[in-house]
Amino acid sequence: MNNNLKILILILSILIFLCLSYIICSNITDKFINKYNICVLMWYDDKIKDYADKCYEINKKYCEKHGFDILKSDKRFYKDNREQTYEKAPLILEHLHRYDYIIWIDADAHFYLDSPGIYKFIKKYSNYNFILSGDIDADYIEDIKTQNINRQKTYIINAGVMIIKNSEYSKKVLRHWITSDELKNRANKKYKYLDQGIVRLYRNENINNFQQESIVLQYGVIQIFTIDKVNTKFYKDYPYLLKYKPYIIHHADLSSQERLKLVNKYYKDHM
């Protein structure tokens, strides 16, 4: 073996060692940098487990990478026939006391595995008890163009992803959401959208000073919906959306078959 070949092998070995060291150290360092005790929560049952299980596995891998816990449940809190999406608040309240923050994520949503640790984002908005995501309702399109956090229609919220701080205030709000039939009925009458309507009503009417205790981040910052379902013109008119790398992809308002196809593709490509 000549000297040039030996040198080449040595250089390649060093490069491989450095790459492996970077990967290992990045994962370890990420867990140490995270100062918060965080849990990701999901709720779903057997009716949607074909795609929800895959979303859970993707989210679990993201959580393992960044040192978060993840829990899923199919336990029913409510004994009446209300929609399952109302199980969100009781499940959050059940586990909130054990963590600094709970990240709620719908069963048709998952983290991008190459997104950075969301704890850095949480730290930026740690003065708020609720960190919420804007939605893209029809009457909201013009509003998001401003990219202004304090925009006019900050009650247009998508509750499929929420970040909740462990505080007495958060517990008080969650208990109100869980126990008040008057609040539920009024929210459904005004906004529909089931439990999401409650969050919107709370923000719009500033119930329990919710406007000061929460922040609604513009659509596309925390989460983004499946691009295939959004009109191409929307992205042409509002190109700022293409500049963001959101943390979460949310397959909202799609059929089970469409969700399964999209989640399977991501799972196959990245897991």
Side-chain angles (χ1 to χ4, degrees), residues 7-242:
I7 293 171
L8 180 60
I9 293 173
L10 178 61
I11 292 172
L12 288 173
S13 300
I14 292 171
L15 288 173
I16 292 171
F17 172 78
L18 290 174
C19 288
L20 290 173
S21 298
Y22 174 78
I23 293 170
I24 294 170
C25 289
S26 292
N27 289 333
I28 294 174
T29 303
D30 203 39
K31 292 179 182 179
F32 279 109
I33 290 174
N34 174 23
K35 303 293 185 182
Y36 299 121
N37 187 13
I38 295 171
C39 182
V40 172
L41 280 185
M42 300 175 68
W43 194 103
Y44 62 91
D45 59 16
D46 289 346
K47 293 178 182 177
I48 61 170
K49 73 188 304 290
D50 54 351
Y51 63 81
D53 275 347
K54 291 287 179 64
C55 285
Y56 171 78
E57 290 300 325
I58 296 167
N59 290 331
K60 182 180 178 183
K61 186 171 182 178
Y62 177 89
C63 289
E64 289 173 346
K65 178 180 179 182
H66 296 288
F68 306 158
D69 285 351
I70 182 168
L71 297 171
K72 62 177 178 176
S73 176
D74 61 358
K75 181 175 68 175
R76 294 304 300 262
F77 173 83
Y78 294 103
K79 304 306 179 185
D80 55 23
N81 61 350
R82 74 183 65 194
E83 290 82 353
Q84 294 170 351
T85 184
Y86 285 102
E87 298 296 338
K88 182 182 305 177
L91 188 61
I92 294 170
L93 183 60
E94 179 184 348
H95 294 282
L96 187 57
H97 70 282
R98 298 170 50 201
Y99 296 95
D100 298 321
Y101 285 90
I102 292 289
I103 301 174
W104 174 268
I105 183 167
D106 276 0
D108 60 350
H110 63 77
F111 282 93
Y112 286 110
L113 291 176
D114 59 346
S115 290
I118 199 168
Y119 55 83
K120 299 173 185 176
F121 174 83
I122 291 173
K123 183 178 180 181
K124 183 177 180 180
Y125 298 106
S126 59
N127 289 336
Y128 297 95
N129 285 294
F130 288 78
I131 305 171
L132 305 170
S133 172
D135 209 332
I136 51 172
D137 288 11
D139 64 347
Y140 182 51
I141 300 299
E142 288 299 325
D143 193 39
I144 70 166
K145 190 175 182 179
T146 64
Q147 302 187 51
N148 181 4
I149 287 175
N150 295 313
R151 57 195 181 276
Q152 184 179 3
K153 296 180 179 177
T154 47
Y155 65 90
I156 305 298
I157 295 162
N158 182 276
V161 178
M162 300 194 299
I163 303 171
I164 301 97
K165 181 193 288 188
N166 180 357
S167 68
E168 290 306 313
Y169 175 85
S170 298
K171 294 172 186 176
K172 174 184 175 181
V173 168
L174 289 166
R175 290 189 191 102
H176 192 198
W177 291 358
I178 293 165
T179 60
S180 177
D181 286 336
E182 183 274 334
L183 184 70
K184 169 180 171 289
N185 295 334
R186 192 154 59 90
N188 281 339
K189 184 177 180 180
K190 188 169 184 177
Y191 296 114
K192 302 180 181 178
Y193 299 111
L194 304 175
D195 67 303
Q196 183 168 282
I198 294 175
V199 184
R200 292 186 175 195
L201 184 70
Y202 237 72
R203 177 78 187 186
N204 193 30
E205 296 188 1
N206 199 24
I207 300 172
N208 284 324
N209 205 35
F210 195 65
Q211 290 176 6
Q212 287 67 48
E213 298 291 341
S214 63
I215 188 167
V216 182
L217 277 297
Q218 197 171 6
Y219 170 76
V221 177
I222 301 176
Q223 64 170 328
I224 198 167
F225 302 138
T226 309
I227 292 177
D228 292 353
K229 84 179 185 72
V230 180
N231 192 300
T232 307
K233 184 177 181 296
F234 183 81
Y235 282 86
K236 183 178 179 182
D237 291 345
Y238 307 105
Y240 88 88
L241 289 172
L242 299 176

